[in-house]
Amino acid sequence: MAQIKIAFFDIDGTMIDMQKKKISGRMVQTLHQLQQNGIRICVATGRAPMTLPCFQDVAFDLWLTFNGSLCYDSRRTLIRNPLLPSDVHTIIANARSINRPVSLATASRLAANGADQDLIDYYAISKQRVENAEDFDEVACQDVYQIMMGCRKEEYARIMKDVQNAKIAAWWDRAADIIPANGGKGIAVTALLRQLGLRREEALAFGDGENDIDMLQAVGHGVAMGNASQAVKQAAEECCGPVEEEGITEYCLRHHLI
């Protein structure tokens, strides 16, 4: 393995056990040890900044949020890539035509025009509640980085009808994140490595969802969790153990990263 200088981590199902819904003490220790060994650590998630969990006293070096549409460090924004306003309005109308509410995500808030059980349960994964926004139409005219909604794969075509520059990034079969077509974790990781002057061979990434596939392929060492889907495992360079068995920690020990 080439010298690793940066590691990207998905959150749900990767650093956080979906059953326990919290990060383990061993995972926290692993993150600290990676930093102590000179490896930068980066969150890479579909979550919004305001829904990021508290990882005890871990101070990440970079945050990749909204599946890469908004990335930043402790000092500045590194990537901002909102959806086209015309696509936002088209998606809202398409969702309304199939009786699906949507939640719009700006840099500072989440605003929904309703709630169904799928969206409620999707929010609950990050311990959030769907809040209907009286100013929803005004929010729709602001910079929207991601649209979240409950849906199934068979609804994708109707949701994306006449949309010009957006795509679906899904990691759960009951909901989807809609992001710019020129976005995604992989594109963001590539751009961040370029900004940091790092080679892909010096980057490591862990993920479990299908929205992690392009990220795992953008780095020199893409690792699928043992609890990942078969599609993710096939796309990754290698696999580690599942999150509930401290797969990341065991991988880092095996490769002498900690």
Side-chain angles (χ1 to χ4, degrees), residues 31-49:
L31 293 170
H32 282 305
Q33 290 177 322
L34 288 169
Q35 282 185 313
Q36 290 166 7
N37 290 341
I39 298 174
R40 302 184 205 191
I41 56 174
C42 177
V43 167
T45 182
R47 292 198 192 202

Side-chain angles (χ1 to χ4, degrees), residues 144-162:
V144 174
Y145 291 92
Q146 184 167 277
I147 297 175
M148 290 86 72
M149 62 181 295
C151 60
R152 302 298 198 279
K153 279 190 176 181
E154 56 267 27
E155 296 174 295
Y156 287 1
R158 295 179 67 183
I159 293 166
M160 302 302 287
K161 183 177 183 293
D162 298 325

Side-chain angles (χ1 to χ4, degrees), residues 234-251:
Q234 289 176 347
E237 179 185 71
E238 56 185 316
C239 299
C240 67
V243 60
E244 64 270 17
E245 296 178 11
E246 305 289 354
I248 292 175
T249 297
E250 294 302 321
Y251 177 93

Side-chain angles (χ1 to χ4, degrees), residues 32-92:
H32 282 305
Q33 290 177 322
L34 288 169
Q35 282 185 313
Q36 290 166 7
N37 290 341
I39 298 174
R40 302 184 205 191
I41 56 174
C42 177
V43 167
T45 182
R47 292 198 192 202
M50 69 288 295
T51 67
L52 294 177
C54 176
F55 290 102
Q56 299 179 28
D57 58 345
V58 176
F60 285 91
D61 296 289
L62 297 168
W63 291 266
L64 185 159
T65 65
F66 297 133
N67 288 293
S69 293
L70 183 63
C71 306
Y72 51 91
D73 61 17
S74 60
R75 296 175 296 154
R76 67 197 188 283
T77 298
L78 301 170
I79 295 173
R80 59 178 304 275
N81 184 26
L83 289 157
L84 291 177
S86 58
D87 282 343
V88 172
H89 293 290
T90 298
I91 292 165
I92 292 170

Side-chain angles (χ1 to χ4, degrees), residues 23-250:
I23 192 167
S24 72
R26 282 195 77 194
M27 186 67 228
V28 169
Q29 185 179 26
T30 295
L31 293 170
H32 282 305
Q33 290 177 322
L34 288 169
Q35 282 185 313
Q36 290 166 7
N37 290 341
I39 298 174
R40 302 184 205 191
I41 56 174
C42 177
V43 167
T45 182
R47 292 198 192 202
M50 69 288 295
T51 67
L52 294 177
C54 176
F55 290 102
Q56 299 179 28
D57 58 345
V58 176
F60 285 91
D61 296 289
L62 297 168
W63 291 266
L64 185 159
T65 65
F66 297 133
N67 288 293
S69 293
L70 183 63
C71 306
Y72 51 91
D73 61 17
S74 60
R75 296 175 296 154
R76 67 197 188 283
T77 298
L78 301 170
I79 295 173
R80 59 178 304 275
N81 184 26
L83 289 157
L84 291 177
S86 58
D87 282 343
V88 172
H89 293 290
T90 298
I91 292 165
I92 292 170
N94 288 346
R96 186 177 292 118
S97 73
I98 58 173
N99 298 313
R100 285 286 196 179
V102 301
S103 176
L104 308 179
T106 70
S108 60
R109 63 179 293 197
L110 302 175
N113 63 353
D116 58 17
Q117 196 59 53
D118 288 332
L119 187 59
I120 290 169
D121 291 345
Y122 196 40
Y123 261 66
I125 292 171
S126 58
K127 300 181 181 179
Q128 304 290 314
R129 294 180 61 185
V130 180
E131 298 290 344
N132 290 344
E134 294 183 1
D135 60 344
F136 179 85
D137 291 338
E138 295 175 20
V139 175
C141 296
Q142 300 173 14
D143 281 344
V144 174
Y145 291 92
Q146 184 167 277
I147 297 175
M148 290 86 72
M149 62 181 295
C151 60
R152 302 298 198 279
K153 279 190 176 181
E154 56 267 27
E155 296 174 295
Y156 287 1
R158 295 179 67 183
I159 293 166
M160 302 302 287
K161 183 177 183 293
D162 298 325
V163 172
Q164 301 300 309
N165 190 41
K167 64 183 179 183
I168 287 177
W171 58 270
W172 194 43
D173 61 1
R174 290 174 51 199
D177 299 330
I178 304 174
I179 62 174
N182 62 342
K185 292 186 183 184
I187 290 173
V189 164
T190 298
L192 289 172
L193 292 178
R194 188 182 306 118
Q195 288 189 42
L196 296 170
L198 297 175
R199 296 178 293 114
R200 68 186 301 271
E201 292 77 16
E202 298 172 315
L204 169 70
F206 295 91
D208 73 300
E210 294 192 11
N211 63 328
D212 295 318
I213 287 176
D214 59 345
M215 174 177 71
L216 299 182
Q217 296 176 331
V219 299
H221 308 278
V223 183
M225 303 300 295
N227 48 281
S229 69
Q230 195 59 36
V232 178
K233 291 178 179 177
Q234 289 176 347
E237 179 185 71
E238 56 185 316
C239 299
C240 67
V243 60
E244 64 270 17
E245 296 178 11
E246 305 289 354
I248 292 175
T249 297
E250 294 302 321

